[in-house]
């Protein structure tokens, strides 16, 4: 592995860690969680597995669906990157559980504090998305699944991503209603994540050009700024 690629994987790992921290903070606010985490979160409220464990299982499902949709169209390198998403799924799932443990003390009781926690979590989450885009190595399963749907449907990534996230939120709400009699992992914090995360990640890309150049020298900042607006976990 050359130095540049190793550097990118380090940045990617930091991005995944930041995303998990953001999810931990948002989830501990008790106002829902991010769209991609909403199904695992609803399931974790019903069954005796942790959020991270359900995140791994759900991510495996998303990667498998990608393989079903795209495997014959992929070249050797793309197939390797797709298989690496299984590794990323495990890494990310355990980081989610680590983040939930790190913020076990965080239990805001007043509504305004819950809102503040969600906003802080979104700031951290969006920074992780920014780092992930900067690294530009392996996709996380949620992004990869939306990308696979884009190729199969031949529609724009933005529209497909919105439809994918919306579908996950609806499924999470249905799971919650059936298993708990509530919306489960879907609340106003979920909506805030949908509306703010991608926009904030794009602002990081726009204003953190020096940091981007330091992390990955020679990156095309303009194309990255366009890409970051597409990604929101």
């Amino acid at each position: 592995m050359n130095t540049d690629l190793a550097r990118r994987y380090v940045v990617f790992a930091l991005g995944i860690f930041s995303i998990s921290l953001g999810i931990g903070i948002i989830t501990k606010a008790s106002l829902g969680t991010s769209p991609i985490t909403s199904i695992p979160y609803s399931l974790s409220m019903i069954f005796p597995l942790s959020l991270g464990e359900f995140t791994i299982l759900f991510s495996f499902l998303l990667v498998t669906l990608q393989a079903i949709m795209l495997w014959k169209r992929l070249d050797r390198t793309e197939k390797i990157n797709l298989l690496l998403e299984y590794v990323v799924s495990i890494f990310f799932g355990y980081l989610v559980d680590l983040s939930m443990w790190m913020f076990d003390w965080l239990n805001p009781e007043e509504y305004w504090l819950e809102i503040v926690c969600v906003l802080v979590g979104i700031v951290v989450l969006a920074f992780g998305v920014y780092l992930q885009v900067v690294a530009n190595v392996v996709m996380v399963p949620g992004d990869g699944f939306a990308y696979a749907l884009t190729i199969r449907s031949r529609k724009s990534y933005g529209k497909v991503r919105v439809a994918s996230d919306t579908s996950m939120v609806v499924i999470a709400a249905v799971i919650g209603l059936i298993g708990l009699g509530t919306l489960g992992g879907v609340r106003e914090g979920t909506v805030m994540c949908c509306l703010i995360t991608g926009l904030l990640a794009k602002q990081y890309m726009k204003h953190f050009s020096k940091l981007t150049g330091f992390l990955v020298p020679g990156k095309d900042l303009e194309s990255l700024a366009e890409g970051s607006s597409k990604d929101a976990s």
Side-chain angles (χ1 to χ4, degrees), residues 62-95:
L62 294 181
V63 178
T64 301
L65 291 174
Q66 289 177 61
I68 292 172
M69 288 188 284
L70 299 181
W71 191 258
K72 292 182 178 180
R73 304 187 182 194
L74 302 179
D75 59 29
R76 182 175 180 275
T77 300
E78 291 170 331
K79 287 178 179 178
I80 291 173
N81 285 337
L82 178 58
L83 293 175
L84 283 174
E85 287 188 34
Y86 284 111
V87 179
V88 171
S89 299
I90 296 171
F91 179 57
F92 181 57
Y94 283 116
L95 284 178

Side-chain angles (χ1 to χ4, degrees), residues 2-224:
N2 60 46
T3 303
D4 177 67
L5 187 57
R7 189 182 190 122
R8 290 171 184 268
Y9 273 106
V10 170
V11 174
F12 177 78
L14 291 173
I16 294 298
F17 182 52
S18 182
I19 290 173
S20 71
L21 289 176
I23 289 173
I25 297 170
I26 293 167
T27 306
K28 290 298 292 182
S30 300
L31 293 179
T33 189
S34 67
I36 193 65
T37 316
S38 58
I39 292 177
Y41 185 42
S42 289
L43 289 171
S44 72
M45 296 170 73
I46 301 171
F47 300 103
L49 289 179
S50 69
L51 174 58
E53 290 168 336
F54 270 120
T55 296
I56 293 172
L57 294 175
F58 183 58
S59 297
F60 275 16
L61 173 62
L62 294 181
V63 178
T64 301
L65 291 174
Q66 289 177 61
I68 292 172
M69 288 188 284
L70 299 181
W71 191 258
K72 292 182 178 180
R73 304 187 182 194
L74 302 179
D75 59 29
R76 182 175 180 275
T77 300
E78 291 170 331
K79 287 178 179 178
I80 291 173
N81 285 337
L82 178 58
L83 293 175
L84 283 174
E85 287 188 34
Y86 284 111
V87 179
V88 171
S89 299
I90 296 171
F91 179 57
F92 181 57
Y94 283 116
L95 284 178
V96 168
D97 273 348
L98 174 63
S99 297
M100 292 295 288
W101 174 78
M102 289 173 60
F103 294 108
D104 185 60
W105 55 270
L106 185 62
N107 295 291
E109 296 182 357
E110 297 185 34
Y111 186 71
W112 71 272
L113 286 175
E114 293 175 337
I115 293 294
V116 169
C117 281
V118 171
L119 292 174
V120 171
I122 290 174
V123 168
V124 177
L125 173 62
F127 186 71
V129 172
Y130 154 73
L131 291 177
Q132 175 192 305
V133 175
V134 167
N136 192 28
V137 281
V138 183
M139 287 187 177
V140 294
D143 293 339
F145 177 67
Y147 177 69
L149 288 175
T150 299
I151 294 177
R152 289 302 298 265
S153 66
R154 298 181 180 180
K155 298 184 182 297
S156 71
Y157 181 92
K159 291 180 179 179
V160 171
R161 184 56 189 262
V162 170
S164 174
D165 285 353
T166 302
S167 298
M168 290 181 187
V169 169
V170 171
I171 293 171
V174 171
I175 291 171
L177 287 171
I178 294 174
L180 300 167
T182 69
L183 293 178
V186 179
R187 281 193 58 182
E188 52 268 50
T190 308
V191 177
M192 292 168 67
C193 285
C194 288
L195 297 176
I196 302 174
T197 305
L199 295 175
L200 186 55
K202 187 174 183 179
Q203 291 304 308
Y204 283 141
M205 194 64 63
K206 180 179 180 181
H207 297 290
F208 286 10
S209 57
K210 290 184 179 180
L211 177 60
T212 303
F214 171 75
L215 293 172
V216 184
K219 246 329 188 176
D220 183 348
L221 301 180
E222 183 176 351
S223 64
L224 281 176

